[in-house]
Amino acid sequence: MNPMLPELTLSSLDLDRLELLLRSLSASDPSRLALEPELNRATVLEPAAVPDNVVTMNSTIRLRLLKSGEEPCLTLVYPKDLDASGQKVSVLAPVGSAVLGLKEGDRIHWPMPDGDIQQIQVVQVLYQPERSGHLHR
């Protein structure tokens, strides 16, 4: 594993659903090319065993953009669950695939739409389905 990349943890349920989603995309789809390596390097646990500070699918998290200090709250969703609220991010979006499997305190460097590289930190997992007992969502 690349020592510059934080460890990732996924639930087996999320992995199964994400692999099915990836199979629906072409092999050259940029979203697939970004997400597939992340899934391949993750530690996979049964949903009930996922630590409660890990970003899983349908988790609501508070991020910190370290350069600006902004702290947006976002819910990580499957593409079918996106809406116009601006409070949800698809797992197929670059930042979505980047935060999946991270834990509170983890930081990543991420290219922003303007071309700048920004360091992003997972500040808090506000809601996690596994922690709330929603294991078969």
Side-chain angles (χ1 to χ4, degrees), residues 18-19 21 25 35 49 57 64-66 83 110 127:
L18 290 167
E19 286 178 334
L21 175 63
L25 304 174
L35 183 56
M57 291 305 302
R64 180 177 297 133
L65 298 127
L66 296 176
D83 60 29
W110 201 252
Y127 168 78

Side-chain angles (χ1 to χ4, degrees), residues 1 5-6 8-9 15 20 27 30-31 35 38 41 46 61 71-74 86 96-97 106 113 124-126 128:
M1 182 191 330
L5 297 174
L8 299 179
T9 303
L15 180 63
L20 186 61
S31 298
L35 183 56
E38 298 296 284
R41 71 182 190 84
E46 290 304 310
I61 61 173
E71 291 195 1
C73 290
L74 299 170
S97 63
D106 282 347
Q124 185 177 11
V125 177
L126 300 166
Q128 182 206 65

